[in-house]
Amino acid sequence: MSSARRSIVNDPLDVVDQALRGLARQHRGVLEVHEDPAFVARAADPGDAEPRVALIAGGGSGHEPMHSGFVGAGMLDAAVPGLIFSSPTAAQVEAATRHVDRGRGVLHVIKNYTGDVMNFGIAAEVVADDGIEVARVIVDDDLATDGAGAGRRGTAAVIVVEKACGAAAARGASLAELVELGERIVAGARTMALAVEPLTHPGADQPSFELGPDEVELGVGIHGERGVGRVPFATAHELTGHLVDPLLRSLALERGERVIAIVNGLGATHPLELSIVFDELGARLDDAGIEIARSLVGTYVSALDMGGVSITLVRADDALLDLWDAPVRTPALRW
Amino acid sequence: MVSALDAARARAWVDGFVAAVEERHAELGELDRRIGDGDFGSNLRSAARRIVANLESAPATAGGPFAAVSDAFMATGGTSGPLLGMWFRALAKAGADRDEIPLADLARAVADGVAAIQRLGGAQVGDKTMLDAFVPAADALAGAVDSGDLAAALAAAAEAAAAGAEATAGLSARLGRSSYVGDAARGVPDPGASAVAMLFDCGARAAGAPPTRKETNA
């Protein structure tokens, strides 16, 4: 039986709030943390007064740097963090939506989880009474949950949606155009993850699931949910194959196509390991004749301290790459 | 005969609901522990505390007390809380900027609120959720509008909600946390539906009707 990793916290019940206070301290002038109801917004910027569509994303905490780390110029206007692995409340989403609205409407980028979809939906109905137009893009890229009753879960493809829609919004795209763009990205995006170590909630005395020394959870969710099954622990070469092969089949990518590729650490996986996985991914896509046009390698969508990695492939064209390359200035992405 | 819900009765309804939550949260939480994840009682209780705080600054209209409840539930975690928040919001809108809600408007608001729960929560009658009490209550209320008697109409709604909540004991859940325990949920009434029965009982009493027969709680 594995023992829980110790975590550096004060009060386990105050983890989310204190981390938000830390974030605010770290990014003064860039981010503003609002309390009760809690949300993270861009700091007021007199140079950014144009009326445009505003973007919000949110979800349970424990996945940092997502989503608060994606708030800033060229990406989100606000992020709405719930408690660890719990949807934000409708009141939080409502407050954030009202705060960011500039009269051109607000896009809600939602990962496909029942609570998130419901609470964002409630907030959208509430603000609609005051004339704030809200539309949404639901991100459901997790291939491991293909065919599940509640639909596929949402995971790291949300980064591409937030980045591209944020860039398009900055260029003046309408709410309807952003929905169309977001849905097109989602339709061409799939993610597959695996865990080699379980996660532990801050303050908990044992991990949230058990994994034998020779076992790997394939298709694991970003809350440690069961995946498609357990496979034997193996080399990076073999493990990467378990992720990439189903992605290529599912997306039906053809030779000559281009993708944005994300190799994402799930919380406790070292950058060296992520680079090795990226190298394996690159070799496999070379063989398949698919070009990695852009990439992200790092920990962007974590599952607390889970050891493991996810690979996201997003079908890309010139228009998407142009939006991807647009300037962005957030705590987690900056170019 | 009173035929409209005025601000004083709306407030009495909400005060009664808060008192009932304080009295019965443990019992409702226990139902949830048997078939769900056990947080329903404490979520209700934390909403009740927020309601009390919100009431201090609630407008003195017929909708004011319901707005205080709605805001409190919207700030509550879980699934049932925000859905109840949307239901109370329909009542808050019906009573915004006026001193009383005529019975016909109340019935319409109750039905609108129930429709919002169906739309946002995705459940239907028979799924062992709060809707199993809400839908019959809304129907009973709508059916009693012509009587022009607020107390009798809310009493009929409370009876229907109690019967609907009791009947959930015979159901297994399709949605929500209790769907994971399957047939193990049979025999236990749904805590959400039980809370709705309690809610309408409070409404009937605030309107001057005698207490509904006490619904069984397994």
Side-chain angles (χ1 to χ4, degrees), chain B residues 15 27 30 38 43 49 55 64 73 83 113 148 153 157 164 170 172 174 183 199 202 206:
Chain B
D15 287 343
E27 176 194 323
E30 179 55 28
N43 280 348
R49 302 224 157 136
L55 280 170
F73 274 118
L83 291 176
S172 55
R174 189 180 67 82
D183 282 346
L199 166 65
C202 296

Side-chain angles (χ1 to χ4, degrees), chain B residues 69-106:
Chain B
V69 183
S70 177
D71 290 347
F73 274 118
M74 295 291 200
T76 303
T79 310
S80 312
L83 291 176
L84 285 169
M86 286 304 275
W87 185 81
F88 277 105
R89 187 162 180 276
L91 270 63
K93 282 161 80 169
D97 304 323
R98 58 177 172 173
D99 296 335
E100 56 177 36
I101 307 172
L103 180 53
D105 291 0
L106 179 67

Side-chain angles (χ1 to χ4, degrees), chain A residues 87 89-92 94 114-115 118-119 121-122 125-127 129, chain B residues 71 74-79 82-83 86 89 93 116 119-121:
Chain A
S87 166
T89 65
Q92 284 176 271
E94 179 195 343
T114 307
M118 190 188 81
N119 282 303
I122 287 174
E125 290 208 3
V126 171
V127 301
D129 284 347
Chain B
D71 290 347
M74 295 291 200
T76 303
T79 310
L83 291 176
M86 286 304 275
R89 187 162 180 276
K93 282 161 80 169
R119 185 171 64 245
L120 293 157

